[in-house]
């Protein structure tokens, strides 16, 4: 019913930048929030940043001041601008969306896109 497709990952040197995109399609008539999570090998998946429908954002302390999350509601697309990348940012990045009304809302996940930062 809902598909999330990420793009923009890749290999970059430390200090560089990447921009991730997440396009939602299907039954996306009420997106409550979208966000980015990441999972490094051997570690648990962790929150990177979220953005609510009204524009309120939330960031992990480790990325504050370096990453910026934004969204184009008309396109049902979220973006993650990643600047001043560090090797510890290396991970698979997953898009997340909370879609639906009230108690019927559901969480959806994308397939992930790999970000590798070389030192």
């Amino acid at each position: 019913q809902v598909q999330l497709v990420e793009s923009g990952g890749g290999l970059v040197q430390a200090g560089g930048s990447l921009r991730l995109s997440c396009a939602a399609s299907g039954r996306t008539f009420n997106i409550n929030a979208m966000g980015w999570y990441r999972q490094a090998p051997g570690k648990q998946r962790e929150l990177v940043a979220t953005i609510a429908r009204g524009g309120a954002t939330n960031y992990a302390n480790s990325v504050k001041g370096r990453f910026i999350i934004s969204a184009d509601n008309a396109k049902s697309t979220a973006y993650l601008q990643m600047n001043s990348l560090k090797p510890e940012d290396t991970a698979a990045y997953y898009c997340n969306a909370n879609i639906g009304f009230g108690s019927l809302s559901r969480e959806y996940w994308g397939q992930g896109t790999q970000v590798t930062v070389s030192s």
Side-chain angles (χ1 to χ4, degrees):
Q1 294 184 343
V2 173
Q3 296 80 40
L4 301 179
V5 178
E6 303 107 330
S7 61
L11 173 64
V12 64
Q13 288 188 332
S17 299
L18 283 174
R19 188 190 194 212
L20 305 183
S21 299
C22 172
S25 62
R27 296 175 63 84
T28 61
F29 46 84
N30 195 64
I31 298 177
N32 299 305
M34 295 186 75
W36 291 93
Y37 291 71
R38 66 186 182 187
Q39 187 168 18
K43 295 187 177 181
Q44 290 187 332
R45 189 172 296 188
E46 62 177 5
L47 179 146
V48 177
T50 62
I51 184 166
R53 183 172 55 223
T57 57
N58 181 49
Y59 295 92
N61 287 334
S62 58
V63 306
K64 282 181 180 177
R66 300 189 298 123
F67 291 10
I68 301 172
I69 188 170
S70 61
D72 184 332
N73 294 331
K75 295 182 179 180
S76 298
T77 299
Y79 305 94
L80 185 68
Q81 178 66 44
M82 303 186 295
N83 302 318
S84 302
L85 282 161
K86 304 176 181 180
E88 50 263 44
D89 294 318
T90 295
Y93 283 70
Y94 296 90
C95 178
N96 169 273
N98 181 287
I99 300 174
F101 294 95
S103 60
L104 298 179
S105 63
R106 286 185 55 188
E107 301 286 334
Y108 296 88
W109 292 91
Q111 293 297 309
T113 184
Q114 181 67 34
V115 171
T116 302
V117 184
S118 63
S119 58

